Amino acid sequence: MKRLSFPLLSATLLLLGCAKSPEKLRELAVQDFVRNRVSDPKNYFPGKFRYQPYTRRDSLLYLAQLARINGQPAPPAPTPADSVRIGTLVYHDYRDEMRNGVKVVDSGEYVVRPNGVVRLLIAESIRLKRLPK
């Protein structure tokens, strides 16, 4: 029995160690999203990642800012029930090297849903500049 328990324990630890953390899965989803949109996927070099919970309230406030920028009616105001987490906001910076050798350093804000779907957001700094005074 003892001879069987050590290999079984080792195999279990190995399988658990290979499972990717939620942060790593989000990173991979964002990297795949960005890699498919840069000049050449092999010239994409990921930088730092920062994470923040993203709730329905955050989504409604984002849509309200976009509505103000575009002169459209605002979505419904958030309620206390809208504090449910619907994803993770990922801040990511990266480097993209063009085929002609030009290096571009860029960043983006992305929402990664629990099912792995990635949405690109307009950066907060740009939204704030575009909001009517």
Side-chain angles (χ1 to χ4, degrees), residues 12-23:
T12 304
L13 288 174
L14 179 64
L15 287 174
L16 290 175
C18 293
K20 292 183 171 50
S21 69
E23 287 82 18

Side-chain angles (χ1 to χ4, degrees), residues 11 45 51-52 65 79 83 86 110 118 133:
F45 301 96
Y51 308 98
Q52 181 178 327
Q65 284 184 339
T79 64
S83 62
I86 59 172
Y110 308 88
V118 178
K133 304 287 187 232

Side-chain angles (χ1 to χ4, degrees), residues 70-84:
N70 296 316
Q72 298 176 339
T79 64
D82 292 329
S83 62
V84 174

